[in-house]
Amino acid sequence: MNPSPEAAANRPRRRGLLRLRQEIPRPVFIAAGWAVPLVLLLLWWAVTASGLVQKLFLPSPGAILAEGWRQLSEGILLHDAAISTYRILLGWSAATLIAVPVGILMGTYRLAEGALEPFISTVRYMPVVALIPLTILWAGIGDAQKILILFIATFFSQALMVMDNVKGVDGALIRTGQTLGFTEGEILRRIVLPAAAPGIWDTLRITVGWTWTYLVVAELVAANEGLGRRIMDAQRYLATDTILWGTLFIGILGLVTDLAFKRMGQRLFRWKGGPK
Amino acid sequence: MSPTSPPRVAISGVKKVFTVNGAPFTAIEKIDLDIQPNEFVAVVGTSGCGKSTLLNMVGGLEEPSLGQITIDGRPVTGPGRDRGFVFQSYSLFEWMTVAGNIRFALEKSKLSPAEKTEAVAELIQAVGLRGFENAWPHQLSGGMKQRVAIARALVYRPSILLMDEPFGALDAQTRGLMQELLLKIWEDHKVTVIFITHDVDEAIFLADRVVVLASRPGLVKSVHAVDLPRPRSPDLLTDPAFMAIKRKVLADIREESLKVMAQDLSSPKLAKD
């Protein structure tokens, strides 16, 4: 490349893909996103095909796909997925139904924040796994117990995040509402909530991902079916292909959920402008 | 103006004390200021002199600890539709269109829907946003957003417009154009303006009187009459008469800034204010 005379006179401009905060061509950006999993997949395939790593420790990609196909053709996969999705949906929805109003209250009224924030912040750090025995006592060993675990895993962080979403609303919007003659209730409903809504939606999207990650914990005890259960059962037989396939599949379902939330968010909040 | 009519805004013996970390902090010691109908008053002063606090009290968003503020002789007890407010952060409702934002301000008015539509169209015209009625705020530049905020604050015909550094976030060119637009609107709409700013040029260019506040605690340090002809054009900024006023205002502000700096150096805890 011939540098232009002006550029040559100054310090030569750095070209290339690694410049501080500089935009890169879109195709390169997308290709980079595909390259990482492809390279990992290739490495994975190489170490298993070459026999470098024993099948027991790391089955080949092909073996995992075969396991996925087996589960699908035997009808296990969709059955497990349906059961697990149902539990996720119920646990997350129950948490959301309570966490959103609670978070809004905490973000709006200092009294609610003062009363609830210390409690919720503390409980948030308690390990959910440790609560399994208690949840069994409280909710038995049926679906209710699994849903309760997912609820506990989701609710506390969710409430705090919604609180932050609401507190993040610009105070000038509230003062504007006051100067326009709206009552406190009207300001909350017609100004604070719509202003916080995109943030709250994002919180819902992030927390549903967390709910998915707790699926295995939820299905740890007394479950006969479900994606998490299948993984725990496989542990007993050292069926690493089943374990890896199950983990991968939960990841895929989580990704699909995330994308669905993103799309819906763009639809709901068109006034924010599209994705950058 | 007949001497018997009450001032539009009368600020008498107003004091404001906040509690900061459990300790009382006097933001405003004592301010007396009368503002006449259709007057344009600019308030300048160093950071933390209580400018915004004063404006919020006139707006009814905060209550004086002592003293009283009256509007046309009636004490201020809270926000009211006789006062429109424009903040530095554009404070637009991002989920409403330009027209929607302005119309939202008329929700509490008794106008018929047709009258509301007409009032919104009129204000959109006045702030030069024809063609942007259905745009979303995120699509607008800073200057355009502030035009929407001004239209929203004026659409219900308040007699007083309170502006808290409304052009503070705009670039210099946009700022100049917005000042001219504001003067035109002010002349057309016959409204009393209290305008807070850091910018001395802006204060003198716009106002009939420039009030300099002293800091910590806030007091009126000086009031400068701006006897410059209207309508004003940007040429005024280099006029000797303009310069003469500017020199006096700047000297007063400088004196205050030095005082504040000396205070900060002797008690660094306050310096973050």
Side-chain angles (χ1 to χ4, degrees), chain A residues 170 172-173 175-183 186 190-191 194-195 270-273, chain B residues 61 79-81 83 85 87 89 91-95 104-105 107-108 136 138 152 156:
Chain A
D170 183 4
L173 289 183
R175 289 199 294 277
T176 301
Q178 290 170 336
T179 64
L180 296 179
F182 290 95
T183 63
E186 286 169 332
R190 308 202 45 196
I191 297 177
R270 253 174 307 179
W271 48 265
K272 282 194 72 162
Chain B
L61 298 176
R81 298 174 63 76
R83 284 150 289 159
F85 224 121
F87 300 98
S89 66
S91 68
L92 295 188
F93 306 123
E94 299 269 323
W95 57 97
F104 189 66
E107 285 233 346
K108 298 274 158 179
W136 297 110
H138 86 265
R152 188 179 59 190
Y156 50 87

Side-chain angles (χ1 to χ4, degrees), chain B residues 1 28 33 56 70 76 91 165 169 171 206-207 211 224 242 248:
Chain B
M1 267 168 283
I28 292 174
L33 188 66
N56 286 342
T70 62
V76 169
S91 68
E165 299 192 42
D171 63 75
L206 294 173
V211 177
H224 303 261
F242 183 97
K248 286 192 282 182

